[in-house]
Structure formats: C-alpha cells, structure tokens
Amino acid sequence: MPQGDDCCWVRWSVVNASVSFGADLESTTAARRFAESTMVDWSVDGERFETARLLVSELVANAVTHAETGVTLQLDLSPERLRVEVRDGAEGEPQPRQPRHDDPTGRGLMIVEALADRWGVEPTPPGKTVWFELGP
C-alpha cells in the first residue's frame, strides 16, 4: 500500500466509470472519447493513455461489428493497473485471426494481444466481457 508524505498509510480504492452504447460503429468514436475524457480526469497520460484509447477503439469496434448488440465500456483505475472491459450481449469467445496483408480488418485482437499487459475474455451471460489491463 502506498505511503503518504507524512509517513502514514494512504488507502487507495479503485475508481471506475462506465457507459453503455448502441450497436453501431459511431459507438466506437463515442467510447474512445469517453475513455479519453475519463483518463484525463484521472491523470492517466503518456503511453498508457495512447495505448488504452487505441485498444478501446479496437474492442468496441469488434463488439459492435461482430456481436451486433449494444456494448458497455467500463474503466477501472487502481495504483497497480488500468483495467478496461467491453461487455456485449453475444455468446461465444472472439478469436485472434491471422488476416492476409491485404485484408482491411481482422487485426483488433492481435493489436490487443501485442499491446496489453494482460487481456482475456469472460462469459457474462447473456454475452461476454473482453478486457485488458495496462500497468503503471
């Protein structure tokens, strides 16, 4: 647990924010803007800010394109990590693809896998949650 300047213990709690969007590609832009605004309020900046905004765009775009349902975006910040979750109403687990060099899509989960410290998929009936974490 972090120690304050006065040599007393400081209690940290997770701060979080969430919002829901419809099942259309315009939700990707709205989700990215929500994430950017939230991270600015939380003083998340630099590489972690840029990586998170890119990965939010990828996961929300994947959800509205493939799940064809509304999505909920949740951000949680603690001293140890930034965790982002994208929930949709479709069953099944997304799988990273190996697109050809001329395929215009199909790289979203590859990007998440390459840039996130951790990521995964959890069933959250009636759908799933795809999440990623970035360290400090």
Side-chain angles (χ1 to χ4, degrees):
M1 185 175 278
Q3 201 172 25
D5 291 338
D6 297 332
C7 296
C8 55
W9 291 101
V10 176
R11 174 178 281 181
W12 286 88
S13 62
V14 172
V15 291
N16 59 50
S18 65
V19 65
S20 295
F21 298 99
D24 56 72
L25 284 177
E26 293 166 358
S27 295
T28 302
T29 301
R32 184 178 59 249
R33 287 186 179 145
F34 176 81
E36 290 168 345
S37 174
T38 300
M39 290 188 296
V40 166
D41 289 347
W42 294 346
S43 300
V44 173
D45 57 9
E47 185 177 331
R48 185 161 61 157
F49 178 92
E50 295 300 330
T51 300
R53 68 192 292 263
L54 171 63
L55 299 185
V56 163
S57 294
E58 293 296 336
L59 291 185
V60 172
N62 281 354
V64 298
T65 300
H66 300 291
E68 300 177 339
T69 69
V71 298
T72 299
L73 171 66
Q74 180 165 325
L75 291 89
D76 298 310
L77 180 67
S78 72
E80 296 82 29
R81 56 143 177 88
L82 171 66
R83 180 180 173 104
V84 175
E85 299 179 352
V86 176
R87 276 177 242 128
D88 65 51
E91 293 181 357
E93 188 170 316
Q95 298 295 320
R97 295 180 18 200
Q98 293 295 326
R100 294 186 322 240
H101 73 281
D102 58 344
D103 285 343
T105 62
R107 292 169 182 78
L109 289 179
M110 289 174 51
I111 293 169
V112 172
E113 193 169 70
L115 298 178
D117 293 328
R118 296 180 48 205
W119 77 280
V121 181
E122 299 170 0
T124 48
K128 65 185 163 303
T129 299
V130 182
W131 58 269
F132 68 85
E133 293 180 352
L134 301 171

